[in-house]
Amino acid sequence: MNFELTEEQKMVRDAARSFAQNELKPGVIERDEQQKFPADQIKELGELGFMGMMTKEEYGGAGLDTISYVLVMEELSKIDASASVAVSVNNSLVCYGLEKYGTEEQKQKYLVPLASGQKLGAFCLSEPEAGSDATSQHTTAIDMGGYYLLNGTKNWITNGNNASIYLVIAQTYPEKGHRGINVLIVEKGMEGFTVGPKENKLGIRGSDTHSLQFTDVKVPKENRIGDDGFGFKFAMQTLDGGRIGIAAQALGIASGAYELALAYAKERKTFGHPIADHQAIQFKLADMHCKIESARLLCLRAAWLKDQGLPYGEAAAMAKLMASEAAMEVTVEAVQIHGGYGYVREYHVERLMRDAKITQIYEGTSEIQRLVIARNILK
């Protein structure tokens, strides 16, 4: 197995690293405090080709591989997970779903502006009573002949207010259960579609998280993706790729915290020596490093399998599970290494610790990932 990155992959990684340091880092603490969406930075990321990385160039994307995507997500997430989650959703949930399953007309109308960064997308699956149990969709899309009548509420929607294009999962035939679910493309501004209040969150506070309400929204039939009843399968298959993105985000959060802790341990002195000279700190750093490298290998393996066209659902679940748990463990230790300074905002690690928690929850909780893995090894 070749562990060496290609020159193109290195260039993409370095470009993301430079952007994160020069464009995301200034103001990241203030955006977190003010819960401010990084709109200018997301626009610049679109101009750099990072909002449609894996989308073919003919549809406005960069045509890069999944490994490059993982590298970019890690570098952005080291600095600002609120920005990186917007990149993740647009790339791996919205653009991927449209490119793989959309019609040519849908790709030209919606995918091109999304992949080129002109517009931002959102993926709308979760509901007040349908989180991990995604089969229990209460949002309905009733077939009215030439259009669907959409009613219901979605919550925890990333890019909720700043998106222009929404992929909405809804139940059309309740009697068919998960086989009666469809996915519809909804545009911001459609009559009856409103955006609820912004959520006041523990972490990724700059991320644009809202509930959405649909009241008798008329969605044209041509906005349905895939065959009638394909919605649940669409959501599950799209989430497999999304989990690679969130795994890479968790990896980046952990890496960012580790790098800060390592640098601080070399500078901070106690009893006349840098705290890095103390075995207690050395053991913490060694454990953090091992957890990060293990998570990185799982992320890259899942990305490689996807790029090879091989089954990657289990690998994606393993990557997300282990990377998200590593992110929590590493960020907690990073705060501990910083001592009292780790508890104040200017040293960044407390924010990374808060940001880490959500990676164990969204796009499939750690419990759901274990269920996915268990089903694969037992079947």
Side-chain angles (χ1 to χ4, degrees):
M1 184 177 293
N2 182 9
F3 289 92
E4 183 67 25
L5 298 176
T6 66
E7 289 304 313
E8 182 180 50
Q9 289 165 345
K10 291 176 184 177
M11 287 176 61
V12 170
R13 179 201 60 194
D14 292 346
R17 182 177 297 167
S18 175
F19 182 87
Q21 291 292 332
N22 297 320
E23 304 299 331
L24 287 179
K25 192 171 183 178
V28 66
I29 294 174
E30 290 74 17
R31 290 195 300 274
D32 174 75
E33 290 177 342
Q34 299 166 15
Q35 303 188 57
K36 183 181 178 182
F37 182 74
D40 292 341
Q41 290 81 2
I42 294 298
K43 182 180 178 182
E44 291 178 52
L45 285 165
E47 292 170 355
L48 289 170
F50 288 148
M51 298 306 289
M53 291 186 65
M54 299 170 288
T55 304
K56 293 178 182 176
E57 293 182 38
E58 63 188 278
Y59 296 119
L64 297 171
D65 59 5
T66 314
I67 290 175
S68 295
Y69 171 58
V70 165
L71 298 172
V72 168
M73 281 296 299
E74 179 182 359
E75 293 301 329
L76 299 180
S77 303
K78 286 179 182 180
I79 304 300
D80 189 353
S82 294
S84 72
V85 72
V87 174
S88 177
V89 168
N90 202 74
N91 270 281
S92 57
L93 296 182
V94 182
C95 287
Y96 172 80
L98 277 167
E99 183 172 20
K100 187 168 179 63
Y101 300 109
T103 64
E104 185 61 29
E105 290 74 19
Q106 289 168 348
K107 293 175 186 178
Q108 293 296 334
K109 184 175 181 180
Y110 298 112
L111 179 57
V112 170
L114 285 165
S116 60
Q118 299 171 47
K119 293 184 178 181
L120 188 63
F123 182 82
C124 310
L125 176 62
S126 294
E127 297 183 1
E129 297 180 26
S132 293
D133 181 10
T135 62
S136 300
Q137 295 292 304
H138 291 270
T139 297
T140 58
I142 305 304
D143 190 342
M144 303 298 289
Y147 62 91
Y148 288 98
L149 198 62
L150 186 64
N151 282 280
T153 301
K154 295 292 181 180
N155 64 348
W156 317 122
I157 305 303
T158 300
N159 303 337
N161 190 48
N162 281 276
S164 301
I165 299 165
Y166 302 76
L167 304 189
V168 182
I169 314 299
Q171 181 64 260
T172 299
Y173 310 105
E175 69 279 4
K176 294 183 179 180
H178 71 277
R179 292 184 176 86
I181 294 172
N182 279 310
V183 54
L184 307 177
I185 305 169
V186 177
E187 298 179 43
K188 195 170 190 179
M190 283 184 169
E191 187 175 352
F193 172 31
T194 56
V195 178
K198 181 181 176 67
E199 301 291 351
N200 187 7
K201 307 187 298 295
L202 170 73
I204 58 167
R205 289 169 60 81
S207 175
D208 187 20
T209 309
H210 291 257
S211 60
L212 308 175
Q213 286 80 43
F214 305 95
T215 306
D216 291 337
V217 180
K218 294 182 179 179
V219 184
K221 261 300 184 50
E222 58 265 27
N223 280 30
R224 186 189 75 207
I225 300 176
D227 295 332
D228 202 7
F230 179 67
F232 181 74
K233 189 175 182 180
F234 171 92
M236 295 302 101
Q237 294 188 359
T238 303
L239 280 170
D240 280 343
R243 285 166 183 161
I244 296 176
I246 299 305
Q249 181 190 45
L251 171 64
I253 293 170
S255 297
Y258 168 75
E259 290 174 6
L260 290 169
L262 179 61
Y264 182 82
K266 292 177 179 179
E267 296 168 2
R268 171 69 167 168
K269 291 184 177 181
T270 58
F271 310 107
H273 297 276
I275 61 172
D277 287 352
H278 302 311
Q279 192 177 69
I281 300 299
Q282 292 174 0
F283 281 9
K284 286 182 185 295
L285 291 169
D287 287 344
M288 293 160 76
H289 182 59
C290 287
K291 288 170 183 174
I292 288 168
E293 289 306 309
S294 298
R296 177 174 288 112
L297 289 172
L298 285 170
C299 288
L300 292 174
R301 176 174 175 266
W304 180 84
L305 287 170
K306 185 172 182 287
D307 286 338
Q308 300 305 308
L310 297 170
Y312 63 92
E314 180 187 359
M318 291 170 64
K320 183 182 182 296
L321 173 64
M322 301 311 293
S324 63
E325 304 222 330
M328 264 321 301
E329 293 164 5
V330 168
T331 54
V332 167
E333 290 287 50
V335 171
Q336 190 72 14
I337 288 171
H338 278 76
Y341 292 105
Y343 212 64
V344 296
R345 297 201 167 184
E346 66 184 282
Y347 282 79
H348 295 283
V349 287
E350 64 84 28
R351 172 174 49 81
L352 291 168
M353 183 179 72
R354 289 186 287 106
D355 288 348
K357 184 58 193 173
I358 191 59
T359 66
Q360 295 179 307
I361 299 172
Y362 60 11
E363 294 197 33
T365 63
S366 292
E367 291 74 21
I368 289 295
Q369 305 314 314
R370 288 185 169 92
L371 186 61
V372 170
I373 296 162
R375 286 176 174 172
N376 273 276
I377 61 179
L378 291 171
K379 72 180 179 181

